[in-house]
Amino acid sequence: MKKDIILCGVGGDGIVSVAKIISDAALNKNLNLKQSEIHGMSQRGGSVFSHLRISDKPIYADVIPEGQADIILSSEPMEALRYLPFLSKEGCIITNSEPFVNINNYPDMEKVMAELNKIKNVVAFNANEMAKVVKARSNMVLLGATVPFLDLDLAELENSIQHIFGRKGEDVVKSNLAAIRAGYEFAIKAK
């Protein structure tokens, strides 16, 4: 088992939390893990990304080489485009289709989506709207949509959510669990 995942987005979107949940689930399964994070100018809506490498064999580097990522998980479509050079030919993209417009010259969304749709395996959907329905954050919905492409079970990630967010109270855990399940169900139907 080996998964190389690039998680990317904009500061404040919860990308670091998603990486933490996946990492916790992988470690609970006794898998090897390497992670590299760049927080950028996160306080001003800057680019945030993480390289996350999971394997049942030893991992010697924490940075994913170009053309080797199995998954790009993005909280924002333009950020998914930014990391396309890292995606393998058989890799998949899971992205929120709603942009976070934090620059004056944000590209036309039709052009952004046209570029993303050139990729064979893309799951692009409005995670913000789905998150509103379950009263949670879109990062958890996106994590759920990633589950069918991971070698981790939904239950393993749910356990990690309970472990990581348990101290924040039952309501936070329940909303995050509802969000991950909503994203998972969407991806299963879209796959």
Side-chain angles (χ1 to χ4, degrees), residues 136-152:
R137 295 195 53 209
S138 61
N139 65 330
M140 292 296 128
V141 173
L142 289 163
L143 173 58
T146 307
V147 173
F149 304 95
L150 291 171
D151 287 332
L152 299 169

Side-chain angles (χ1 to χ4, degrees), residues 29-117:
K29 204 171 172 178
N30 292 317
L31 295 171
N32 295 302
L33 173 78
K34 292 275 187 192
Q35 183 177 355
S36 171
E37 292 177 0
I38 300 293
H39 296 277
M41 298 170 48
S42 60
Q43 292 181 359
R44 289 183 280 210
S47 180
V48 175
F49 70 93
S50 178
H51 288 228
L52 183 57
R53 307 187 83 187
I54 302 168
S55 179
D56 56 358
K57 296 182 175 38
I59 304 168
Y60 299 104
D62 56 357
V63 176
I64 300 167
E66 284 192 14
Q68 297 297 310
D70 300 299
I71 300 170
I72 293 176
L73 169 58
S74 179
S75 66
E76 202 280 332
M78 188 175 73
E79 291 298 322
L81 279 181
R82 182 187 310 265
Y83 294 96
L84 273 183
F86 287 93
L87 191 65
S88 72
K89 289 181 180 173
E90 297 303 315
C92 67
I93 297 172
I94 294 93
T95 186
N96 191 348
S97 61
E98 285 300 300
F100 181 84
V101 181
N102 58 348
I103 55 175
N104 293 335
N105 59 345
Y106 193 97
D108 178 69
M109 272 308 295
E110 285 184 21
K111 290 179 181 175
V112 171
M113 294 311 294
E115 286 300 312
L116 287 175
N117 287 325

